[in-house]
Amino acid sequence: MRTIYLDNNATTRVADEVLEEMIPCLRDIYGNPSSMHHKGAEAGEPLKLARQRVASLLGAQPDEILFTSCGTESDSTAINAAMVAYPDKKHIVTTMVEHPAVKTYCESLEKHGYRVTLVPVDRKGRLDLNALYASISDDTAIVSIMWANNETGTLFPVEEIAKKVKSLGAAVFHTDAVQAVGKVDINLADSAIDMLSLSGHKLHAPKGVGALYIRKGTKFSPFLMGGHQENGRRAGTENHSSIVALGRACSLAAEMMEEENTRVKALRDRLEKRLLETIPNCFVNGDLDNRLPNTCSISFEYVEGEAILLMMNEFGICASSGSACTSGSLEPSHVLRAMGIPFTAAHGTIRFSLSTDNTDEDIDTVIENLPGIIHTLRQMSPFWAEAMAAKA
Ligand code: PLP
């Protein structure tokens, strides 16, 4: 059976070009970049190139890039650095729809004397900017706002927000750009963004590597302490081959982004249009005018997302649902709840996320099979029967 992989916001396949540069680093260029001998020096060169490539994709300087183990570590490092740099400031601002990498960490800080503001969103997932700006004071250590939402693809105006919150007294502005890097044109050269997180496995590099952009002049303290790697900003021997891979993934994204965004968006739009035309009682979630080109979050009323996933899997189709397993029961995700998506629809939400690997044929397979799947599931759904009876 052919795999139709439409779960690229969860993770992506390592690109062939990326793998090609990575393998020699595992097989031949195996020295520790911190070593004084020629094998160490040999390993240092590709590391330097990787830093340049990541910086170049972001419009940053190479010495503003810190390599980490993942997006989560980058997020934690940024938040921790702000707390250490500004010990007297006890207020943190983030959003209700943030990835747990930011939201859970921030919420945990309430136990350590921090006041945490979670800015709400509207039905389309747009941030309440008035509430955000009203929350800022001289006591605000960090404002952390994601660039693109992983579930709906909704984009927040982070460049504008960064400027404004800093003018209102926030010490540091950080953005979790894990879903944006490689899909959104980013130029940090003239922005007020102090720190930005990214993750390799979301842009066709391997899992277990990430980076944190730290604007020159931003007060910084390491999260991992020990050796002097990364200019003393992160201890631990570098994940050399994966960092090299991340660098190549960034240069690949820079080469292909414009063209691929147009192609992928056309595939996504065709998928959405056809599903909306052929399946009753469904709707697309998020800010449709400001969205990643690859993401489609679609709610099918009165059916279970997990049942849809299982049935799609029979046809080789991989996607995600909008539910999360919380204490043994399936709850609609915090993002859909924050947007006020009704319970009966939130439960039947599926996220399709595309990448450069997807083709017209992939979309055809979903369009051919999903209407039948939803129909079958609705015939078994007591909620659907109830809703139809109420309508009659
Ligand atoms: N932030 C966002 C928006 C994400 O989508 C993810 C992963 O899904 C993360 C952070 C965490 O990244 P990682 O898996 O590299 O820790």
Side-chain angles (χ1 to χ4, degrees):
M1 187 173 58
R2 210 169 67 83
T3 294
I4 293 109
Y5 187 76
L6 296 166
D7 202 11
N8 288 279
N9 287 10
T11 198
T12 57
R13 186 182 72 86
V14 175
D16 296 343
E17 296 89 334
V18 169
L19 198 58
E20 228 166 77
E21 287 204 20
M22 188 180 180
I23 288 172
C25 293
L26 293 163
R27 201 173 38 204
D28 308 314
I29 311 170
Y30 53 79
N32 186 329
S34 301
S35 298
M36 295 298 287
H37 46 66
H38 73 277
K39 288 305 280 180
E42 182 187 50
E45 283 308 307
L47 208 57
K48 195 171 152 196
L49 176 62
R51 209 179 298 280
Q52 283 165 0
R53 283 169 159 176
V54 175
S56 167
L57 182 65
L58 304 177
Q61 297 301 314
D63 59 357
E64 293 176 314
I65 303 300
L66 174 72
F67 290 116
T68 65
S69 69
C70 59
T72 303
E73 186 194 320
S74 299
D75 289 339
S76 289
T77 302
I79 296 162
N80 180 71
M83 289 192 302
V84 175
Y86 300 93
D88 298 335
K89 297 183 188 283
K90 295 292 179 194
H91 180 221
I92 294 175
V93 179
T94 186
T95 76
M96 287 180 80
V97 295
E98 217 66 20
H99 188 275
V102 168
K103 190 165 174 275
T104 308
Y105 186 31
C106 289
E107 285 171 340
S108 79
L109 295 169
E110 284 180 336
K111 287 191 222 89
H112 300 279
Y114 283 85
R115 193 163 54 82
V116 179
T117 300
L118 297 178
V119 181
V121 296
D122 67 10
R123 183 70 160 72
K124 288 184 168 183
R126 293 174 302 195
L127 205 56
D128 183 340
L129 293 179
N130 291 331
L132 165 60
Y133 298 148
S135 75
I136 309 294
S137 73
D138 287 344
D139 191 38
T140 307
I142 183 165
V143 178
S144 180
I145 310 275
M146 69 198 322
W147 200 310
N149 188 272
N150 45 301
E151 292 192 30
T152 64
T154 297
L155 297 165
F156 288 151
V158 285
E159 286 154 310
E160 171 195 325
I161 293 171
K163 265 196 203 112
K164 183 74 179 173
V165 297
K166 294 196 74 182
S167 75
L168 291 170
V172 175
F173 181 84
H174 164 254
T175 181
D176 175 341
V178 163
Q179 294 291 348
V181 172
K183 300 172 202 150
V184 173
D185 204 7
I186 293 177
N187 185 1
L188 297 172
D190 296 318
S191 89
I193 294 167
D194 298 307
M195 292 196 261
L196 174 148
S197 302
L198 65 97
S199 175
H201 73 109
K202 310 293 185 179
L203 70 152
H204 302 280
K207 296 154 192 66
V209 64
L212 179 67
Y213 156 84
I214 309 162
R215 165 185 303 291
K216 227 172 260 168
T218 304
K219 288 190 187 175
F220 183 79
S221 294
F223 192 53
L224 297 186
M225 283 177 239
H228 296 289
Q229 292 88 353
E230 293 294 286
N231 245 332
R233 295 184 299 181
R234 182 192 185 264
T237 303
E238 297 87 348
N239 182 353
H240 185 256
S241 56
S242 293
I243 290 172
V244 168
L246 174 59
R248 182 62 187 116
C250 286
S251 65
L252 200 60
E255 287 160 27
M256 305 193 339
M257 190 158 52
E258 203 179 321
E259 198 178 313
E260 275 302 309
N261 274 350
T262 309
R263 194 186 68 84
V264 165
K265 181 177 182 300
L267 292 178
R268 191 272 314 266
D269 289 349
R270 186 162 76 83
L271 171 69
E272 257 176 23
K273 183 166 180 286
R274 204 65 201 123
L275 294 180
L276 291 171
E277 279 167 4
T278 53
I279 302 175
N281 294 71
C282 71
F283 56 85
V284 176
N285 299 303
D287 182 358
L288 304 194
D289 300 323
N290 284 301
R291 220 173 15 143
L292 289 175
N294 78 317
T295 307
C296 164
S297 165
I298 184 161
S299 295
F300 302 99
E301 291 180 296
Y302 313 113
V303 274
E304 283 290 336
E306 284 59 42
I308 304 172
L309 289 184
L310 289 176
M311 287 185 74
M312 286 200 300
N313 195 43
E314 296 294 305
F315 295 94
I317 304 166
C318 307
S320 277
S321 78
S323 306
C325 195
T326 322
S327 8
S329 70
L330 280 169
E331 288 288 332
S333 77
H334 68 285
V335 175
L336 298 175
R337 276 185 281 140
M339 289 165 65
I341 306 297
F343 193 75
T344 46
H347 264 292
T349 301
I350 298 294
R351 178 189 70 188
F352 294 104
S353 48
L354 285 65
S355 83
T356 60
D357 286 340
N358 292 117
T359 61
D360 265 315
E361 208 184 340
D362 293 341
I363 301 307
D364 291 341
T365 307
V366 182
I367 289 170
E368 274 160 30
N369 294 295
L370 192 50
I373 291 173
I374 301 293
H375 179 76
T376 304
L377 290 172
R378 280 182 177 160
Q379 295 316 300
M380 297 188 278
S381 160
F383 298 113
W384 175 253
E386 232 172 66
M388 290 306 104
K391 217 173 160 189

